[in-house]
Amino acid sequence: MYETLLQLAPQGLYCPPGDFFVDPWQPVPRAVVTHAHSDHARPGMRAYLTVREGEATLRARVGPDASIQTLAYGEPLRVNGVELSLYPAGHILGAAQVRVAYRGEVWVVSGDYKTEADPTCVPFEPVRCHTFVTEATFGLPIYRWRPQAEVFAGIHRWWRANQEAGRASLLFAYALGKAQRILAGLDPSIGPIFCHGAVERFNGVYRAAGVALPPAAYTGAAGREVDWSRALIIAPPAAQASAWTRRFGEVSTAFVSGWMRIRGARRRRAVDRGFVLSDHADWPGLLAAIAATGAERVWVTHGYSAVLARWLAEQGLDARAIATRFEGEQGAAMGEEG
Ligand SMILES: [Zn+2]
């Protein structure tokens, strides 16, 4: 048994026998990247390895000249005698869990993940391992997601009500992942859909990858004849306070995030409506995913890591919280892209 297949180094999660890092936050020679959100995919690495479906989003994040090697899901690669492979994390397009195997010992770093279905990415796949590194963004029992059909029905009702009241529907969501998932679930027969440039940029990447999205126009290309009171507009949270929103006339605003589950989050965001939809696992999702790995040891990062680690330890697992620089949806809650 090789006990320290991964360890927490100043630059990030390090695999000593393989001599590579997983989602490092400081420049390193070799970075294996779980997905292209900015807290996991940082520029400045000498070489990147990611799953094939994630190459375009990673390149958009780390630059056109970055050295990026890709693997198919499940395809093994030997790195200094360590077997490395990537499995679907169900988080956003091209998100992967990193499986590391060496001398009979198997570790899996999940990155960000969700167990709910999502038409815009490959479903989460449990991977058996001895040690599982899990996120805990929504690692409290109060976080239980409602069925998605219910959430989308609510968004559609809000959109129709705004049309009747003669105001535009302005929906704030993460530009990468969440925005495309919302777009995929919208009913385009209700009215025209528009996207902010930051969202439109990633829509193009998703469409190129073969993900079916309804038609959506770039707001910047819209003519003067557009009746915004019929439209639903998807924009990143950062656009909320900007002059960009003025062109739409009277608007109703909404924010789509797992954080909308908490009382007061909508008021703090200063939006009219909150819809609870997350690209992270809820509490039952986290517990089911962890159980499915069969892991005896669990490292818990970002979010409610101490709470989840304590709960797992009470169930007899060797669990502990570790201090990474991943933020989960915390960045979105603060109005940043991530
Ligand atoms: Zn993420």
Side-chain angles (χ1 to χ4, degrees):
M1 297 283 269
Y2 198 90
E3 284 296 321
T4 53
L5 200 39
L6 288 171
Q7 57 184 232
L8 196 59
Q11 302 94 331
L13 280 174
Y14 180 59
C15 175
D19 192 23
F20 58 81
F21 289 81
V22 178
D23 292 352
W25 44 81
Q26 282 171 21
V28 298
R30 256 195 294 213
V32 181
V33 174
T34 60
H35 67 290
H37 279 152
S38 56
D39 54 330
H40 291 260
R42 296 172 194 258
M45 311 298 160
R46 201 176 307 149
Y48 295 86
L49 177 78
T50 197
V51 80
R52 196 165 294 153
E53 287 86 338
E55 182 178 0
T57 47
L58 178 60
R59 199 168 283 290
R61 189 70 79 192
V62 300
D65 301 325
S67 162
I68 302 177
Q69 183 187 355
T70 64
L71 289 177
Y73 283 124
E75 181 189 349
L77 176 75
R78 286 197 90 75
V79 183
N80 301 321
V82 173
E83 189 184 284
L84 193 157
S85 45
L86 305 170
Y87 291 86
H91 177 54
I92 61 168
L93 176 70
Q97 305 176 73
V98 180
R99 180 185 185 273
V100 179
Y102 186 64
R103 295 185 188 169
E105 181 78 6
V106 180
W107 288 50
V108 170
V109 181
S110 61
D112 292 342
Y113 67 94
K114 73 169 173 292
T115 52
E116 265 186 315
D118 175 346
T120 66
C121 62
V122 183
F124 176 85
E125 187 179 324
V127 182
R128 303 286 296 183
C129 57
H130 300 103
T131 304
F132 187 54
V133 183
T134 184
E135 60 143 310
T137 305
F138 293 108
L140 283 183
I142 59 160
Y143 292 107
R144 290 164 199 268
W145 309 144
R146 303 295 304 164
Q148 293 176 72
E150 228 174 78
V151 178
F152 279 103
I155 293 173
H156 290 148
R157 269 197 306 275
W158 169 74
W159 186 4
R160 287 199 174 96
N162 291 334
Q163 289 179 330
E164 282 161 23
R167 52 183 183 239
S169 301
L170 185 50
L171 197 56
F172 298 107
Y174 257 13
L176 169 56
K178 183 71 64 61
Q180 290 73 31
R181 184 176 169 206
I182 291 166
L183 187 51
L186 287 177
D187 177 358
S189 74
I190 296 173
I193 303 168
F194 288 87
C195 292
H196 182 279
V199 171
E200 178 60 27
R201 173 177 179 224
F202 289 117
N203 291 351
V205 173
Y206 272 62
R207 290 186 203 279
V211 177
L213 299 176
Y218 167 45
T219 50
R224 290 182 176 277
E225 75 288 354
V226 172
D227 174 6
W228 292 110
S229 73
R230 308 281 312 154
L232 184 144
I233 305 136
I234 305 175
Q240 188 180 1
S242 73
W244 176 85
T245 60
R246 285 193 205 131
R247 78 182 74 179
F248 309 120
E250 200 191 332
V251 296
S252 176
T253 54
F255 193 64
V256 185
S257 167
W259 295 112
M260 291 297 127
R261 172 69 182 77
I262 321 177
R263 199 184 296 271
R266 181 171 56 83
R267 194 176 58 245
R268 280 198 298 280
R269 288 292 320 181
V271 288
D272 302 319
R273 288 290 302 269
F275 296 105
V276 183
L277 187 74
S278 179
D279 286 335
H280 296 264
D282 61 1
W283 175 257
L286 288 169
L287 299 187
I290 292 164
T293 65
E296 291 160 6
R297 180 161 51 181
V298 181
W299 283 6
V300 189
T301 77
H302 60 295
Y304 297 99
S305 51
V307 177
L308 181 57
R310 191 169 63 237
W311 195 92
L312 295 170
E314 284 167 5
Q315 313 307 309
L317 295 178
D318 174 7
R320 67 179 168 110
I322 60 160
T324 64
R325 294 198 193 164
F326 310 134
E327 296 165 332
E329 276 201 4
Q330 206 75 48
M334 308 312 285
E336 294 157 9
E337 195 190 2

